[in-house]
Amino acid sequence: MAKDVSAKVTEYEKFVNEVLRRDLKNVLDTRDEIYGKIAEYLELKTVIEKIQDSELGSGELKTKIDLGCNFYVQAKVPDASKIFVQVGFGFFVEFTLPEALKFIEKKVKHLTESTDKLTKNSAQIKAHIKLVYEGLRELQNLQKDAPDDSGRIVW
């Protein structure tokens, strides 16, 4: 009987460590990637709004472009009234500034919905982990770590 309990405990611990924790890590990593995309879109939205407010969209624009690793080069944009926005799967679409703002709004809303689903999914996985640990505690006949309140008078 004790060997059966020990085998079951080992099996459940293996399930938690190899399956549930891996799934939780994958969900949280995916959610963090999406949060990064949301931040990039919001940064682009801010830049577009600044271009519109300063009325630079109708003429030539001088700027610095990050090539990566904080290596910047000067760039000259002859017509800043249209921009290319990455829409996904490696595709870029040319938008006017107002069209780009509308696209960014919709894209951020969609990405936010995705992060909400992933957050709920991570909460479910955490609940499953907790449930398995509670089952292990019962299986091993261990008491909870809560203090004993049996001697305390409650009015």
Side-chain angles (χ1 to χ4, degrees):
M1 177 83 174
K3 289 183 179 181
D4 291 340
V5 171
S6 178
K8 284 290 182 188
V9 167
T10 304
E11 184 179 330
Y12 286 128
E13 286 176 347
K14 183 177 178 183
F15 175 72
V16 167
N17 291 326
E18 292 181 4
V19 177
L20 292 178
R21 292 207 185 273
R22 183 192 66 223
D23 290 348
L24 181 61
K25 182 184 180 315
N26 290 340
V27 167
L28 293 177
D29 288 346
T30 303
R31 187 185 67 177
D32 290 342
E33 287 175 16
I34 294 174
Y35 279 141
K37 289 179 184 178
I38 290 173
E40 288 176 3
Y41 278 112
L42 293 177
E43 182 180 352
L44 177 61
K45 180 180 177 184
T46 303
V47 169
I48 292 172
E49 289 171 347
K50 286 182 181 179
I51 290 173
Q52 284 182 328
D53 290 344
S54 63
E55 299 177 6
L56 291 173
S58 59
E60 188 176 281
L61 174 67
K62 290 184 181 180
T63 184
K64 289 185 178 181
I65 303 294
D66 185 9
L67 295 179
C69 298
N70 289 327
F71 184 74
Y72 290 89
V73 295
Q74 290 185 354
K76 186 167 64 169
V77 181
D79 181 20
S81 64
K82 293 184 179 182
I83 62 170
F84 285 92
V85 178
Q86 184 177 8
V87 294
F89 298 109
F91 290 102
F92 292 81
V93 175
E94 184 177 18
F95 287 116
T96 62
L97 298 180
E99 289 173 341
L101 289 175
K102 287 180 186 176
F103 171 77
I104 290 170
E105 251 181 63
K106 290 179 182 179
K107 187 70 172 183
V108 167
K109 182 180 177 185
H110 171 71
L111 291 173
T112 303
E113 290 171 359
S114 296
T115 58
D116 291 344
K117 288 179 186 175
L118 289 170
T119 300
K120 288 178 184 177
N121 195 1
S122 70
Q124 286 179 338
I125 293 171
K126 288 177 185 177
H128 290 171
I129 291 171
K130 190 172 183 177
L131 181 68
V132 171
Y133 279 146
E134 288 297 319
L136 287 173
R137 186 173 285 132
E138 274 187 33
L139 197 59
Q140 294 174 328
N141 295 325
L142 296 176
Q143 295 294 323
K144 282 193 167 183
D145 296 332
D148 185 22
D149 292 337
S150 61
R152 194 174 106 193
I153 299 174
V154 179
W155 299 98

